[in-house]
Every structure is written in C-alpha cells, then in structure tokens.
Amino acid sequence: MRRLSLSSRLALLFAACTAVVSLFAGVLFSSASEAHFIELDQQLLDGKLIGLRRALHDLQSSDSQVRLAEELSRQADLSLRITGSDGKRWYDSSTQLPDELPRQPGLSTLNHDGTDYRVLNAPLFTDKPDSPQLTLLLDITHHQHFLQRMQHLIWLTVGLSALATALLGAWAARSGLRPLRRMSAVASGVSAQSLNARLPEDDMPPELAEMAHNFNAMLGRLDDSFQRLSAFSADIAHELRTPLSNLLTHTQVTLTRPRPIEDYREALHSNLEELQWMAQLVNDMLYLAKADHGLLMPKRESLDLAEEADVLLEFFAPLAEDAQMTLSREGSARINGDRSMLRRALSNLLDNALRFTPVQGDVRVKIVDQPKDLSLTVENSGAGVCAELLPRLFDRFYRADPSRHEGSSEHAGLGLAITQSIVRAHGGQIHCESADGWTRFVIELPKGD
C-alpha cells in the first residue's frame, strides 16, 4: 500500500481531532439537555402532585371527581392512575395507559406503543402507611423527538466539521509544508556542478529555519570538500608529472647509445632519488587518507615534551649552525601521546621554520603547561606570512613561497597537512600566527589520562 503523505496525515489528524471534540461537545450538550428536561418534568409533576393531592384530599367527597377532572384538564399530556394499597386499580384517567407501570417510588421513564412517558409514583397521603398510590404519567414524546433531532444534528455537525477540517487542514498543511518542498527541490537539483545552491533562510518559518541553516551548511561543506578533492587530484597529477617525465627522459637518453658502466650506475642513482621521493609522496598521501577516515589511532604513552623537543633540536643543530641560526627551547610538560607521531609533527614544524628563517635568525620552541592541556609553539624570526595566506597553510600541496617548483623532490607541501592530522588525531588544534617579524605555529593538546 502506498504510504500517506505528510499533508494527508496532518489533514486526517485535524479531522479526527475536530470530530472527537465535536462529538464530545455534542454528547455533553445532549446529556445536559436531557438532564434539563428531566428537571423540568420533575418540577411539573411535583406541582401537579400537590394539586391532585389537594383535589383528592377527601375521597368520600362528592365533588372530588369534579376537582380531579378539572385538575387533569389543565395538563392535556398528563395522565393519572390511582391504585389501592392492595395493588387494585381504582382509577385511570385514560384508557390508553399500559397495564403494567413502574412501581418504584420517584421518577422513572417508560416507553409504550411508541409513546414515551415520565412516570412519578407517590402516595396520596404521606402520613398513612396504607395510603393509595398515585401514578402520574407525563407524555414526553415531543421531548424525545427533540433530543433525537439534536443527536442527528450532532452527527451531521461532526461529519461536516470533520470534512471541512480535513479539507482546510490539507490546504493548511500543504501551504505550511511549502518550504519543505522547496528544500526537496533544491536537494534534487544538487550535483557536483551545482553545489552552490542555497535555501533562503530568511523566508523559512522558525521551525524550519534551523534545518535550512544546517542544510545550507551541509551544502557548503560538500562544496568545500569537493573543491578540495578536485584540487587535491590536480595537485597529485601536478606533483607526479614532473618526476615521471624526468625519469622517462633520463632513461630514454641513457639508452640512446651504449655507455660505460659508471654512467649507467649514475643514471640508476639519479632515478632512485626520484623514485624514493615519489614513494615518500605516495606514503604521505596514504597517511593523509587514513587521517581523513579517522584511521589514525595514536598510541598512548607518557612523554616528556621537553626531552622530545631537545632530541629534534639536536638533530637539526648542524643545519642551524651552517645557517648561523639559534635554536632554543623553553618550558616543559608531560603528555600521553604517540611518540613517533608527535616527533613527526614537531619535526615538520622545525623543518618548516628553518627553511623560512633568514641567516642569523632565531627558532624557538616554547612549551606551556596548564592544568588540563598544554600548548607547544614553534616560532621563527623573519618575513611574516600575509594574513590572507594563513588559513591555507595547512592545505595539501600548498606552498606559501611564490617561487614554487614543480615536482621538487625536497618539499611537496604536505608537511603542515600531516602535522595538522597528527594534532587532530590527538584531540588537539593547531593554528598559525604571524606578526611583528615572527611566525608562530601554536599546537594546543589535551594531556590525556
């Protein structure tokens, strides 16, 4: 079976609610009307009972029957039966009265031959235990007809109101769900070529404004990811084209004529360097792919960051000495993390700092210990980085140096991206600041358990 649409469900829900409310109100009104008629009948019969007792006060009186007939004539729809204390029938004001009448005292209802009666049983003399019994019968057929017509009207009202509410509810639901249809239309039109489509958030009702905002944010993330993926694919081809071309050219030139064994050995060494760089590039790309899929699972061991930084500073000391640079470290802290991954991240930052620090410049590592987290800063003196370039420093294959060399076997522009992946795998964040002749890469990491 085909599932009902949301508009149909809302319309049926509105109709059901309206029908229930109308039916409840109708039943309540019908019960109140019936109770009101019973109360009026009770008052009427009580009044007639007083008059009849007065007329029949002296049964032996000659004019008692005259007064009784006169009293009954005032209410055409009232009938009377008098029975003795032994149950024998003494008097019937009408020949159409049923033989058997209710005997319980008080008010009751009786239906006989299509006629409805309100019956009141009461003693003629309240102070005599063997008093004759008066049974007053009030024809209430017109009351019952009124109640029946009212019940029919109630059912008709319930049906019409449910139908009207269903139609109005369907229209209201369809109008109210128009933003959802618009959202569906935008979603159906989204493709790799139209990720820039957005929903107008200002026209959305408050209940859908947040959904529209999240939908637009999702499209923005998809657009950004698609652009990054496209750029990443182009960069991969860009980076691999030159070394592959070099390998092919060098190999073809070497094979054009017979050469001494030393020439072949030199050619193989040259090709090996290019192949090693390409292998490292592929490994770095695989490492970033694992990071994108959350597959980097750092080990947790207690580390002294000061010791780890000193080991790397000692490794880079010869390079710094050749460039007359000063390496230093301040502060210390302990952290639970992966030794090899953190060393790789710090090594990338130090390598990056040494490459962009001028002769006789400074490279500093600062560690600040805090109760719940810590910060590790690698800063270097020299020309700063433009503010508009700072957000792109962690993009893959991005080089801030405008004199970018294609297929350079020295730096492929993946170091900072790998560093960011390692920091995020440890639950931290990294950002870059550049001002007053200093460029700082700040890592903020939780200490862990």
Side-chain angles (χ1 to χ4, degrees):
M1 293 180 62
R2 183 180 178 182
R3 290 182 296 178
L4 290 176
S5 65
L6 188 57
S7 299
S8 300
R9 295 181 184 181
L10 290 175
L12 292 177
L13 181 61
F14 292 154
C17 291
T18 303
V20 170
V21 173
S22 301
L23 182 61
F24 178 77
V27 171
L28 186 63
F29 180 74
S30 178
S31 300
S33 300
E34 186 175 2
H36 177 67
F37 284 132
I38 292 175
E39 183 180 359
L40 292 179
D41 295 340
Q42 179 77 54
Q43 294 176 357
L44 177 62
L45 291 174
D46 287 342
K48 291 300 180 181
L49 180 61
I50 295 174
L52 291 173
R53 282 174 174 170
R54 187 182 300 113
L56 298 173
H57 183 267
D58 186 4
L59 290 177
Q60 305 299 326
S61 175
S62 58
D63 60 347
S64 60
Q65 291 187 357
V66 177
R67 293 198 305 268
L68 177 60
E70 182 180 353
E71 188 68 29
L72 292 174
S73 64
R74 297 175 183 175
Q75 189 75 31
D77 53 359
L78 181 65
S79 301
L80 173 64
R81 172 175 290 178
I82 304 176
T83 57
S85 57
D86 54 359
K88 291 183 179 181
R89 188 183 307 171
W90 288 7
Y91 173 78
D92 274 343
S93 64
S94 174
T95 59
Q96 299 179 355
L97 294 180
D99 295 333
E100 297 294 332
L101 295 177
R103 295 181 177 274
Q104 68 271 20
L107 196 66
S108 60
T109 303
L110 172 68
N111 180 273
H112 178 69
D113 292 339
T115 303
D116 294 310
Y117 296 97
R118 198 81 71 194
V119 181
L120 178 63
N121 287 311
L124 178 58
F125 305 110
T126 57
D127 54 348
K128 296 180 179 180
D130 57 349
S131 169
Q133 294 294 315
L134 300 181
T135 301
L136 283 73
L137 292 89
L138 180 65
D139 188 350
I140 59 168
T141 305
H142 59 290
H143 292 176
Q144 299 302 100
H145 289 171
F146 172 78
L147 291 175
Q148 290 175 0
R149 288 195 301 271
M150 187 174 63
Q151 289 175 355
H152 294 160
L153 181 61
I154 289 173
W155 284 110
L156 181 62
T157 302
V158 169
L160 292 178
S161 61
L163 178 61
T165 306
L167 296 176
L168 293 175
W171 173 81
R174 185 172 180 82
S175 300
L177 295 177
R178 189 177 294 115
L180 285 179
R181 291 195 299 274
R182 192 186 314 164
M183 188 179 299
S184 176
V186 173
S188 62
V190 171
S191 64
Q193 292 74 32
S194 61
L195 288 174
N196 57 348
R198 297 295 184 271
L199 287 173
E201 299 181 22
D202 295 337
D203 298 339
M204 292 291 177
E207 294 81 2
L208 298 178
E210 184 178 358
M211 182 184 296
H213 176 74
N214 293 334
F215 185 80
N216 289 337
M218 179 194 68
L219 290 178
R221 291 192 298 270
L222 289 176
D223 189 19
D224 182 67
S225 298
F226 185 79
Q227 296 298 333
R228 287 177 178 272
L229 182 61
S230 300
F232 187 51
S233 301
D235 286 335
I236 291 175
H238 179 81
E239 294 295 332
L240 294 179
R241 180 181 60 186
T242 300
L244 286 174
S245 178
N246 291 340
L247 285 171
L248 288 172
T249 302
H250 195 199
T251 303
Q252 289 171 351
V253 170
T254 303
L255 295 176
T256 54
R257 60 183 177 82
R259 299 177 184 274
I261 190 66
E262 293 299 328
D263 290 347
Y264 286 114
R265 187 185 301 275
E266 182 180 353
L268 288 176
H269 277 294
S270 177
N271 289 351
L272 179 61
E273 291 180 0
E274 293 289 347
L275 290 171
Q276 287 175 338
W277 179 83
M278 292 173 63
Q280 182 60 41
L281 177 62
V282 172
N283 288 334
D284 290 343
M285 289 159 48
L286 291 175
Y287 193 88
L288 290 172
K290 290 175 63 177
D292 289 342
H293 291 82
L295 299 179
L296 288 184
M297 304 300 293
K299 300 177 183 178
R300 296 295 178 178
E301 55 182 318
S302 181
L303 302 175
D304 188 335
L305 282 184
E307 293 181 2
E308 303 300 325
D310 290 342
V311 170
L312 292 175
L313 291 175
E314 184 178 354
F315 175 80
F316 284 105
L319 293 176
E321 185 177 352
D322 292 342
Q324 300 179 6
M325 299 179 189
T326 302
L327 297 179
S328 62
R329 187 264 306 165
E330 299 177 10
S332 63
R334 299 197 67 84
I335 185 175
N336 289 329
D338 190 297
R339 185 189 303 273
S340 61
M341 293 174 66
L342 291 177
R343 278 191 179 184
R344 184 174 185 179
L346 184 55
S347 175
N348 289 340
L349 293 180
L350 287 173
D351 178 70
N352 185 76
L354 289 171
R355 286 190 294 112
F356 291 98
T357 301
V359 177
Q360 298 183 347
D362 294 327
V363 176
R364 302 173 184 171
V365 177
K366 295 183 179 180
I367 303 173
V368 179
D369 191 7
Q370 299 175 2
K372 294 184 178 180
D373 53 13
L374 58 88
S375 66
L376 188 152
T377 303
V378 178
E379 58 183 13
N380 66 280
S381 60
V385 182
C386 298
E388 60 270 15
L389 299 181
L390 291 178
R392 299 194 57 193
L393 291 181
F394 299 97
D395 291 350
R396 299 166 187 180
F397 298 112
Y398 179 76
R399 297 182 178 95
D401 186 0
S403 60
R404 170 177 173 170
H405 301 288
E406 295 185 1
S408 172
S409 60
E410 184 178 1
H411 300 287
L414 295 177
L416 292 179
I418 291 175
T419 299
Q420 185 183 55
S421 299
I422 292 174
V423 172
R424 288 180 175 176
H426 282 78
Q429 295 291 333
I430 182 173
H431 65 277
C432 180
E433 304 171 354
S434 185
D436 302 328
W438 287 89
T439 300
R440 299 177 180 84
F441 286 87
V442 182
I443 299 176
E444 297 175 351
L445 289 171
K447 290 185 176 182
D449 297 331

PDB file of all heavy atoms in Angstrom, residues 297-309:
ATOM      1  N   MET A 297      45.242   6.013  14.773  1.00  0.00           N
ATOM      2  CA  MET A 297      45.000   5.664  16.169  1.00  0.00           C
ATOM      3  C   MET A 297      46.307   5.807  16.948  1.00  0.00           C
ATOM      4  O   MET A 297      47.135   4.884  16.973  1.00  0.00           O
ATOM      5  CB  MET A 297      44.467   4.231  16.284  1.00  0.00           C
ATOM      6  CG  MET A 297      43.200   3.988  15.466  1.00  0.00           C
ATOM      7  SD  MET A 297      41.840   5.049  15.967  1.00  0.00           S
ATOM      8  CE  MET A 297      41.549   4.399  17.610  1.00  0.00           C
ATOM      9  N   PRO A 298      46.543   6.970  17.534  1.00  0.00           N
ATOM     10  CA  PRO A 298      47.814   7.179  18.254  1.00  0.00           C
ATOM     11  C   PRO A 298      47.917   6.303  19.494  1.00  0.00           C
ATOM     12  O   PRO A 298      46.930   6.057  20.182  1.00  0.00           O
ATOM     13  CB  PRO A 298      47.768   8.665  18.619  1.00  0.00           C
ATOM     14  CG  PRO A 298      46.324   9.018  18.637  1.00  0.00           C
ATOM     15  CD  PRO A 298      45.679   8.153  17.590  1.00  0.00           C
ATOM     16  N   LYS A 299      49.129   5.822  19.738  1.00  0.00           N
ATOM     17  CA  LYS A 299      49.393   5.111  20.978  1.00  0.00           C
ATOM     18  C   LYS A 299      49.405   6.100  22.136  1.00  0.00           C
ATOM     19  O   LYS A 299      49.666   7.281  21.941  1.00  0.00           O
ATOM     20  CB  LYS A 299      50.740   4.382  20.899  1.00  0.00           C
ATOM     21  CG  LYS A 299      50.823   3.360  19.773  1.00  0.00           C
ATOM     22  CD  LYS A 299      52.211   2.750  19.727  1.00  0.00           C
ATOM     23  CE  LYS A 299      52.335   1.764  18.562  1.00  0.00           C
ATOM     24  NZ  LYS A 299      53.717   1.196  18.474  1.00  0.00           N
ATOM     25  N   ARG A 300      49.146   5.599  23.311  1.00  0.00           N
ATOM     26  CA  ARG A 300      49.134   6.464  24.488  1.00  0.00           C
ATOM     27  C   ARG A 300      50.236   6.025  25.441  1.00  0.00           C
ATOM     28  O   ARG A 300      50.156   4.971  26.054  1.00  0.00           O
ATOM     29  CB  ARG A 300      47.761   6.398  25.176  1.00  0.00           C
ATOM     30  CG  ARG A 300      46.604   6.929  24.337  1.00  0.00           C
ATOM     31  CD  ARG A 300      46.744   8.410  24.067  1.00  0.00           C
ATOM     32  NE  ARG A 300      45.651   8.919  23.213  1.00  0.00           N
ATOM     33  CZ  ARG A 300      45.512  10.176  22.869  1.00  0.00           C
ATOM     34  NH1 ARG A 300      46.398  11.069  23.291  1.00  0.00           N
ATOM     35  NH2 ARG A 300      44.500  10.557  22.106  1.00  0.00           N
ATOM     36  N   GLU A 301      51.291   6.833  25.491  1.00  0.00           N
ATOM     37  CA  GLU A 301      52.374   6.603  26.434  1.00  0.00           C
ATOM     38  C   GLU A 301      52.788   7.934  27.030  1.00  0.00           C
ATOM     39  O   GLU A 301      52.658   8.991  26.397  1.00  0.00           O
ATOM     40  CB  GLU A 301      53.559   5.924  25.745  1.00  0.00           C
ATOM     41  CG  GLU A 301      54.067   6.669  24.524  1.00  0.00           C
ATOM     42  CD  GLU A 301      55.214   5.938  23.855  1.00  0.00           C
ATOM     43  OE1 GLU A 301      56.083   5.436  24.597  1.00  0.00           O
ATOM     44  OE2 GLU A 301      55.246   5.884  22.612  1.00  0.00           O
ATOM     45  N   SER A 302      53.298   7.896  28.236  1.00  0.00           N
ATOM     46  CA  SER A 302      53.693   9.113  28.920  1.00  0.00           C
ATOM     47  C   SER A 302      54.977   9.655  28.297  1.00  0.00           C
ATOM     48  O   SER A 302      55.997   8.951  28.225  1.00  0.00           O
ATOM     49  CB  SER A 302      53.903   8.829  30.415  1.00  0.00           C
ATOM     50  OG  SER A 302      54.265  10.010  31.089  1.00  0.00           O
ATOM     51  N   LEU A 303      54.937  10.902  27.839  1.00  0.00           N
ATOM     52  CA  LEU A 303      56.072  11.523  27.164  1.00  0.00           C
ATOM     53  C   LEU A 303      56.436  12.830  27.846  1.00  0.00           C
ATOM     54  O   LEU A 303      55.555  13.563  28.312  1.00  0.00           O
ATOM     55  CB  LEU A 303      55.749  11.792  25.692  1.00  0.00           C
ATOM     56  CG  LEU A 303      55.343  10.601  24.826  1.00  0.00           C
ATOM     57  CD1 LEU A 303      54.954  11.083  23.433  1.00  0.00           C
ATOM     58  CD2 LEU A 303      56.466   9.588  24.745  1.00  0.00           C
ATOM     59  N   ASP A 304      57.726  13.117  27.859  1.00  0.00           N
ATOM     60  CA  ASP A 304      58.232  14.418  28.315  1.00  0.00           C
ATOM     61  C   ASP A 304      58.503  15.244  27.065  1.00  0.00           C
ATOM     62  O   ASP A 304      59.446  14.965  26.304  1.00  0.00           O
ATOM     63  CB  ASP A 304      59.501  14.234  29.140  1.00  0.00           C
ATOM     64  CG  ASP A 304      59.942  15.551  29.790  1.00  0.00           C
ATOM     65  OD1 ASP A 304      59.593  16.615  29.239  1.00  0.00           O
ATOM     66  OD2 ASP A 304      60.623  15.500  30.821  1.00  0.00           O
ATOM     67  N   LEU A 305      57.679  16.237  26.802  1.00  0.00           N
ATOM     68  CA  LEU A 305      57.814  17.026  25.581  1.00  0.00           C
ATOM     69  C   LEU A 305      59.140  17.752  25.514  1.00  0.00           C
ATOM     70  O   LEU A 305      59.679  17.980  24.419  1.00  0.00           O
ATOM     71  CB  LEU A 305      56.647  18.014  25.477  1.00  0.00           C
ATOM     72  CG  LEU A 305      55.305  17.457  25.004  1.00  0.00           C
ATOM     73  CD1 LEU A 305      54.290  18.572  24.852  1.00  0.00           C
ATOM     74  CD2 LEU A 305      55.461  16.732  23.675  1.00  0.00           C
ATOM     75  N   ALA A 306      59.665  18.147  26.657  1.00  0.00           N
ATOM     76  CA  ALA A 306      60.959  18.834  26.647  1.00  0.00           C
ATOM     77  C   ALA A 306      62.048  17.915  26.100  1.00  0.00           C
ATOM     78  O   ALA A 306      62.878  18.330  25.267  1.00  0.00           O
ATOM     79  CB  ALA A 306      61.305  19.306  28.056  1.00  0.00           C
ATOM     80  N   GLU A 307      62.056  16.649  26.523  1.00  0.00           N
ATOM     81  CA  GLU A 307      63.050  15.704  26.025  1.00  0.00           C
ATOM     82  C   GLU A 307      62.866  15.441  24.538  1.00  0.00           C
ATOM     83  O   GLU A 307      63.847  15.373  23.775  1.00  0.00           O
ATOM     84  CB  GLU A 307      62.951  14.387  26.802  1.00  0.00           C
ATOM     85  CG  GLU A 307      63.361  14.494  28.264  1.00  0.00           C
ATOM     86  CD  GLU A 307      63.271  13.154  28.968  1.00  0.00           C
ATOM     87  OE1 GLU A 307      62.931  12.159  28.285  1.00  0.00           O
ATOM     88  OE2 GLU A 307      63.539  13.105  30.180  1.00  0.00           O
ATOM     89  N   GLU A 308      61.615  15.285  24.104  1.00  0.00           N
ATOM     90  CA  GLU A 308      61.363  15.042  22.681  1.00  0.00           C
ATOM     91  C   GLU A 308      61.810  16.231  21.845  1.00  0.00           C
ATOM     92  O   GLU A 308      62.392  16.062  20.765  1.00  0.00           O
ATOM     93  CB  GLU A 308      59.874  14.759  22.447  1.00  0.00           C
ATOM     94  CG  GLU A 308      59.314  13.594  23.237  1.00  0.00           C
ATOM     95  CD  GLU A 308      60.015  12.297  22.915  1.00  0.00           C
ATOM     96  OE1 GLU A 308      60.408  12.111  21.735  1.00  0.00           O
ATOM     97  OE2 GLU A 308      60.200  11.467  23.825  1.00  0.00           O
ATOM     98  N   ALA A 309      61.542  17.435  22.317  1.00  0.00           N
ATOM     99  CA  ALA A 309      61.959  18.629  21.578  1.00  0.00           C
ATOM    100  C   ALA A 309      63.478  18.742  21.530  1.00  0.00           C
ATOM    101  O   ALA A 309      64.064  19.100  20.495  1.00  0.00           O
ATOM    102  CB  ALA A 309      61.342  19.872  22.213  1.00  0.00           C
TER     103      ALA A 309
END
